[in-house]
Amino acid sequence: MDVDVAVVGAGQAGLAAGYHLRRTGLDFVLLDDQPQPGGAWQHYWDSLRLFSPAAHSPLPGWWMPEQPGAEFPTARHVVDYLSAYEQRYQLPIYRPVRVATVHERGPRLELTTDQGLWRTRAVISATGTWSHPHVPRYPGGDTYQGRQLHTVHYRSGHEFEGQRVVIVGGGNSAAQILAEVSQYAETLWVARREPRFMPDDIDGRVLFDVATRSMATRAQGMDDTVDVSRLGDIVMVPSVRAARSRGVLKAHPMFEALTSTGVVWGQGREQWACDAVIWCTGFRPALGHLAGMDLFDVSGHIPTTGTRAHHDPRVHLLGYGDWTGRASSTIIGAGRTAKAAVRELAERVGPPRYP
Ligand code: FAD
């Protein structure tokens, strides 16, 4: 099938792109490999909530409704919002369609998928990171007999009732999972660096307001001196504050290796036996479908200006983190960067074929 623009991925970033594409009159599709709407939000653990109230997390055009009785909406509520959003704007989403490769074919780009071939004049890649979990390699990782899982496989603390559990990582996922698991299990939290906690009164509201002000500053051509990351990494949501009160929010240095029964430091002199290791060690952008294009630098990164790939201006990247636009992996940030990307692409792709 031939279209002007193909968006790969229909999570929040893809939907924001769809909203703006709809307004250009260009012919476009969104291809998403999940059977259901919601992107990564449909896979988060049961108790996860947004860092901020609904009013601080809108996609373009339509505010997220409040969740009755919940100041901070659940992941399920976000999934419902994204589902309703794609229907409201009648976005042309095909799912499940997995894009395996994108190749240059003269003036066109060709997408091979498990549902056939698509030809297009431009691609917006919005595939997120959830499908590409990162687990660092440590000596003994293959010999450990207990359970190892990554954040993506974690559902709830109940599963670890009565066990001894190591939680690895210094970010929000680790702190929140620790807070929950420690109510059911004996936990040990380890991180490569001392975790940096935000002040208690900083939540998603403040972070998004600061990000908004700094974007406005930059839009006026002024230097942006606000650096939100200086405030810390871990947002003190109620469950994390409660874990601190219980005295479990204490990180230990990263272990050196795993053995068949646990983790060790000091070349094996110190050992902590455990039933499970939960790796809350982050994600990498899911960019495998672009591997056949000449977009990557030697470090495996795709250099961009804004969202546009340096080596092929027909390819834009949305939602992977700050390198494709300020806060572009948050719901509100996705909308802002999508607008800029679509504006640029619309100029490049030219007048719509079906005006
Ligand atoms: P995704 O939601 O992952 O969507 C990408 C879609 O593309 C998926 O459906 C995926 O299956 C599909 N896909 C991938 N590869 C292919 C392919 N080759 N072909 C076709 N389809 C493909 N953000 C906030 O704004 N507020 C918060 O409070 C907040 N809390 C968070 C808490 C946690 C623990 C985490 C991990 C993230 C949180 N975020 C929050 C960030 C936000 O949820 C994610 O960054 C966001 O879901 C990313 O959206 P996306 O559209 O870029 O990617």
Side-chain angles (χ1 to χ4, degrees):
M1 233 193 278
D2 264 34
V3 286
D4 292 324
V5 182
V7 181
V8 186
Q12 61 194 37
L15 299 190
Y19 171 88
H20 289 294
L21 281 165
R22 171 65 86 216
R23 309 177 94 198
T24 62
L26 291 167
D27 183 25
F28 69 98
V29 287
L30 292 93
L31 308 174
D32 188 79
D33 64 2
Q34 298 295 298
Q36 303 292 335
W41 289 99
Q42 60 193 304
H43 303 297
Y44 291 161
W45 60 89
D46 300 344
S47 63
L48 185 112
R49 287 175 179 272
L50 275 179
F51 287 130
S52 47
H56 284 69
S57 296
L59 281 175
W62 185 43
W63 294 87
M64 184 188 296
E66 298 291 331
Q67 181 174 13
E71 189 185 5
F72 295 86
T74 57
R76 186 66 244 168
H77 183 72
V78 181
V79 171
D80 291 344
Y81 170 59
L82 298 181
S83 312
Y85 187 91
E86 56 184 60
Q87 281 170 23
R88 182 184 177 96
Y89 294 108
Q90 300 193 351
L91 297 176
I93 301 175
Y94 292 76
R95 61 163 67 94
V97 178
R98 175 151 192 85
V99 177
T101 61
V102 180
H103 282 293
E104 202 177 335
R105 296 277 182 261
R108 296 259 157 186
L109 297 168
E110 197 172 85
L111 281 65
T112 52
T113 81
D114 53 4
Q115 303 293 323
L117 209 64
W118 298 75
R119 264 181 294 272
T120 176
R121 298 159 75 192
V123 164
I124 295 179
S125 182
T127 47
T129 59
W130 189 255
S131 60
H132 202 182
H134 171 67
V135 176
R137 292 185 71 80
Y138 274 84
D142 298 339
T143 50
Y144 177 61
Q145 300 288 306
R147 180 176 174 205
Q148 294 191 63
L149 62 158
H150 184 273
T151 311
V152 296
H153 304 116
Y154 176 77
R155 297 309 311 175
S156 107
H158 289 286
E159 294 175 41
F160 302 94
E161 185 100 49
Q163 298 186 1
R164 283 163 63 91
V165 181
V166 174
I167 288 144
V168 186
N172 284 292
S173 304
Q176 289 187 25
I177 289 175
L178 169 80
E180 189 165 81
V181 174
S182 60
Q183 296 175 57
Y184 303 93
E186 190 180 343
T187 49
L188 181 81
W189 185 20
V190 296
R192 278 190 309 157
R193 281 186 299 277
E194 189 62 34
R196 300 183 323 136
F197 300 102
M198 297 245 178
D200 279 10
D201 56 346
I202 303 278
D203 66 13
R205 271 176 287 220
V206 180
L207 296 177
F208 295 149
D209 287 347
V210 171
T212 304
R213 276 204 301 277
S214 84
M215 281 180 76
T217 307
R218 292 193 315 164
Q220 289 164 14
M222 292 189 276
D223 276 350
D224 172 19
T225 52
V226 184
D227 181 2
V228 181
S229 66
R230 262 190 274 158
L231 297 172
D233 299 317
I234 295 176
V235 182
M236 299 306 287
V237 296
S239 64
V240 175
R241 288 206 300 270
R244 183 181 59 196
S245 305
R246 295 197 312 274
V248 294
L249 200 65
K250 265 189 62 185
H252 298 261
M254 186 62 200
F255 53 74
E256 286 163 13
L258 293 104
T259 64
S260 61
T261 55
V263 297
V264 294
W265 299 257
Q267 295 175 341
R269 285 192 296 278
E270 227 186 301
Q271 163 140 14
W272 208 76
C274 58
D275 303 289
V277 178
I278 308 180
W279 297 92
C280 306
T281 39
F283 306 88
R284 301 287 182 262
L287 298 173
H289 55 296
L290 298 175
M293 292 193 73
D294 185 21
L295 300 175
F296 296 81
D297 65 16
V298 283
S299 67
H301 179 73
I302 300 184
T304 54
T305 299
T307 56
R308 175 178 25 91
H310 278 182
H311 295 294
D312 193 325
R314 295 170 297 180
V315 178
H316 281 244
L317 295 111
L318 269 191
Y320 299 102
D322 280 354
W323 59 284
T324 64
R326 188 81 173 207
S328 77
S329 54
T330 64
I331 301 174
I332 190 167
R336 291 167 176 163
T337 38
K339 186 176 184 180
V342 169
R343 187 189 297 133
E344 206 177 313
L345 264 185
E347 277 166 20
R348 164 161 293 279
V349 170
R353 288 189 306 149
Y354 310 111

